[in-house]
Amino acid sequence: MTMAMTPADTARHLRQMIAALEAERQALAALDLEALVAATQEKHALCTTLAPVPHLPDDADCRALAESARALNEINRRVRNLLAAQVAARIDGLAGQARPYSTSRAA
């Protein structure tokens, strides 16, 4: 039988998630594959830890931490997409299929 996670536990795990997201952003900026893999593994472990929490506690600290984590994750997603778009554009250029840079995807 597992005990329910307390608001303090949830906040601690959210702080760890923020740290992992910040490490991911630094790894993306440095194009450091080992650090990126480590940050991804940490995020996955924390998601698994937080999975049993059905919703955030009615706690301003937890809500603020969750919002910070959400915002950092969104920034990192945009950076990953930008890097992927740059690689795709370079590959297209090498293949003689140069296209103007675009952030939209074909449907």
Side-chain angles (χ1 to χ4, degrees):
M1 175 179 235
T2 60
M3 294 179 52
M5 194 175 299
T6 67
D9 291 334
T10 302
R12 180 171 45 86
H13 293 305
L14 287 169
R15 283 186 186 91
Q16 291 171 339
M17 180 67 78
I18 289 168
L21 288 162
E22 288 172 347
E24 178 185 48
R25 184 171 48 190
Q26 291 171 2
L28 286 165
L31 299 176
D32 182 340
L33 182 59
E34 286 184 30
L36 186 57
V37 169
T40 300
Q41 290 172 338
E42 179 69 13
K43 289 188 322 177
H44 178 72
L46 288 164
C47 285
T48 300
T49 299
L50 289 166
V53 178
H55 53 81
L56 285 174
D58 190 22
D59 175 81
D61 187 40
C62 283
R63 285 192 305 273
L65 289 167
E67 179 56 30
S68 292
R70 187 207 59 76
L72 286 170
N73 191 57
E74 178 63 17
I75 289 167
N76 291 355
R77 183 192 65 77
R78 289 180 183 185
V79 171
R80 284 188 306 270
N81 288 349
L82 179 59
L83 290 170
Q86 289 172 344
V87 170
R90 182 64 187 132
I91 291 169
D92 287 348
L94 289 170
Q97 301 171 355
R99 293 180 282 169
Y101 177 74
S102 173
T103 58
S104 63
R105 294 172 55 168

